[in-house]
Amino acid sequence: MTKVLIIEDEVEIVNLLKLELSHEGYEVDTAFDGKTGLEKIENGDNNIILLDIMLPGMNGMEVCRRARRTTGVPIIMLTARDQVTDKVAGLDTGADDYLTKPFAIEELLARMRSALRRNTAQPEEKKIKSFKNIALNPEACEVKVDGRMIDLSKKEYQLLEYLMQNKNRVMTREQILNAVWGYDYFGDTNVVDVYVRYLRTKLDDSFNEKYITTVRGMGYMMKEA
Ligand code: CA
């Protein structure tokens, strides 16, 4: 089931959207202020976000900007203001689309379908398989640095591939654990630190490069330049 998170402080709009989207088969969650919304984006597994701009506490632009540090989930901005500057600013923060209130529900549904399609339509071969001088061959599960084959265990390979696919984004230990070890993995996030250390020994130390960056209090990222 496709999960949608609505972040909007106007109760009537939330209720209306909830009714319509549930009817369309979406699983709906809601947040009525920016801070709660951001927490739900970061901790949830939503497939798409509807984000109002004028929100109490943290506004929608700020929520979007912060959300983009950790997730590529499609975000559609909603706003009462029909100004080009808002639209540009909204898309600048990393939103996928923009809808001015009042809008027809059919229009929203069409935009949502389109954003979801774009998000899942990335063909496998287009996904990033190189980082600096590291090259991944997903079919053979091989890793080469400057053409030299690197011997990695399966988990080390999967961890490296996951970080490379999400390069320039901070991935939390929980995100990494879920993606590489699976939701049912019964361990704590220390295993992530241990495997990052293995990778660093084989890559960073061997090639005197800083491939994997620790972002204190958040997680890890592979940052280009
Ligand atoms: Ca509002």
Side-chain angles (χ1 to χ4, degrees), residues 90-101:
L91 295 175
D92 248 12
T93 59
D96 294 81
D97 206 347
Y98 184 98
L99 214 51
T100 306
K101 290 187 272 190

Side-chain angles (χ1 to χ4, degrees), residues 7-10 13 32 52-56 78-80 101:
I7 309 174
E8 160 72 84
D9 59 321
E10 284 159 79
I13 294 182
F32 294 90
D52 182 32
I53 290 186
M54 299 297 281
L55 288 169
L78 310 175
T79 184
K101 290 187 272 190

Side-chain angles (χ1 to χ4, degrees), residues 97-137:
D97 206 347
Y98 184 98
L99 214 51
T100 306
K101 290 187 272 190
F103 48 79
I105 193 73
E106 290 74 21
E107 174 75 9
L108 175 67
L109 292 170
R111 302 281 189 102
M112 286 175 69
R113 280 193 299 269
S114 161
L116 286 164
R117 215 166 31 236
R118 276 199 303 277
N119 195 47
T120 52
Q122 291 175 328
E124 194 64 28
E125 58 272 19
K126 279 205 172 168
K127 283 186 183 161
I128 298 138
K129 297 298 179 196
S130 69
F131 180 86
K132 293 183 177 174
N133 56 348
I134 302 175
L136 283 193
N137 176 357

Side-chain angles (χ1 to χ4, degrees), residues 6 8 10-18 78 101 103:
I6 305 168
E8 160 72 84
E10 284 159 79
V11 179
E12 303 83 57
I13 294 182
V14 172
N15 287 341
L16 178 72
L17 287 178
K18 202 172 172 179
L78 310 175
K101 290 187 272 190
F103 48 79

